[in-house]
Amino acid sequence: MLVDEAEFTVDLGESGYLIGFTEHDDYPEETPYGWRCGPAGASSAVVLTTTENGQLLLTLQIHDAQPAFEPNGSWEPAEEISLLTENSRIHLATLDPADIADAWPDDRPILRMPLPSAQHSSIRMRLYCHADDPEPGVGDHGERHLIQFWQAPATDPVHPALSEEDRQARAEYKETRIGSVQEYTIDLPLQSAIQAAVRAIKPVRVSPGRLSGGSANTRRAQRA
């Protein structure tokens, strides 16, 4: 049964958004190219968007048990991951190469999971995505996401199969991030080095759009 719900527009940056149950979001060490979402630590997920520097209509739902699946045809195939709460509040932040910004609207009440314990509870997250224009790029694409949360034991994630192209994009992102950290570590303390390295990364963009059969994502060229 649906317990609570919020719907609002998010002004996106370049690199999607983080959502979960921690106030200590950091830039993800890995990016889930080939999927729509992936873990960004134990308590939050990184979600890739078709839209870059445009608007996203986001609907968040809290359920008291696993909800029925949405009808086929309205959404891309759903993806699921399990998260471990640090607190009961749902946190939302947009991602740019040099910034993580809180994105919860000031005029909307915070959603909280009704949990017996706010810490270390296992939450299942299901993500649905749709974009009228599925080709990634700047500006509005008629993109909307539905995210459902409910309390459940941790289980394996649900994602589409990765292509070799997706794996290569992930490897390149990780190599770039590690190399940038090493370069800046020479002159900076570790924390400053990591922050500076994130600013230096120019992430490869991968199209999250899929055909109705759930084909693998296609990779966009790296920005100059």
Side-chain angles (χ1 to χ4, degrees):
M1 183 178 69
L2 180 64
V3 175
D4 205 352
E5 182 177 38
E7 183 174 89
F8 47 83
T9 299
V10 180
D11 292 320
L12 296 168
E14 294 185 13
S15 306
Y17 59 92
L18 295 170
I19 189 161
F21 299 90
T22 176
E23 298 183 55
H24 307 292
D25 287 321
D26 198 1
Y27 214 89
E29 295 187 4
E30 296 183 353
T31 298
Y33 296 132
W35 301 340
R36 275 293 200 166
C37 66
S43 299
S44 62
V46 55
V47 180
L48 301 183
T49 57
T50 299
T51 304
E52 185 178 308
N53 293 318
Q55 291 190 327
L56 165 75
L57 179 61
L58 180 61
T59 303
L60 305 174
Q61 295 180 344
I62 294 175
H63 293 260
D64 61 0
Q66 179 177 340
F69 285 96
E70 294 295 305
N72 292 331
S74 300
W75 303 96
E76 299 171 15
E79 299 186 27
E80 294 186 10
I81 62 173
S82 293
L83 301 174
L84 190 65
T85 62
E86 288 186 4
N87 54 62
S88 62
R89 172 185 172 181
I90 296 177
H91 296 266
L92 175 69
T94 53
L95 285 172
D96 274 306
D99 190 31
I100 300 174
D102 180 67
W104 196 275
D106 293 335
D107 61 346
R108 296 299 181 95
I110 296 297
L111 287 186
R112 296 181 180 274
M113 292 292 300
L115 302 172
S117 173
Q119 290 187 326
H120 310 306
S121 293
S122 180
I123 302 297
R124 193 67 170 175
M125 169 182 145
R126 180 184 293 160
L127 169 68
Y128 293 96
C129 302
H130 171 85
D132 293 340
D133 177 4
E135 181 62 27
V138 176
D140 293 339
H141 287 247
E143 186 167 9
R144 63 183 190 271
H145 291 185
L146 166 62
I147 301 180
Q148 299 170 327
F149 298 99
W150 66 96
Q151 190 171 8
T155 53
D156 291 339
V158 176
H159 298 293
L162 291 177
S163 69
E164 187 55 39
E165 197 171 28
D166 298 327
R167 298 180 192 279
Q168 181 63 29
R170 291 180 177 212
E172 289 177 4
Y173 175 87
K174 189 173 183 178
E175 182 179 351
T176 300
R177 192 174 192 277
I178 292 173
S180 298
V181 170
Q182 291 174 342
E183 177 183 349
Y184 281 91
T185 301
I186 296 173
D187 299 316
L188 297 173
L190 179 59
Q191 183 63 28
S192 298
I194 293 174
Q195 294 173 349
V198 166
R199 295 184 179 94
I201 295 170
K202 297 180 180 180
V204 176
R205 296 288 296 171
V206 177
S207 167
R210 301 190 187 94
L211 302 177
S212 58
S215 62
N217 297 344
T218 58
R219 180 179 164 195
R220 284 188 70 199
Q222 185 172 2
R223 294 190 188 88

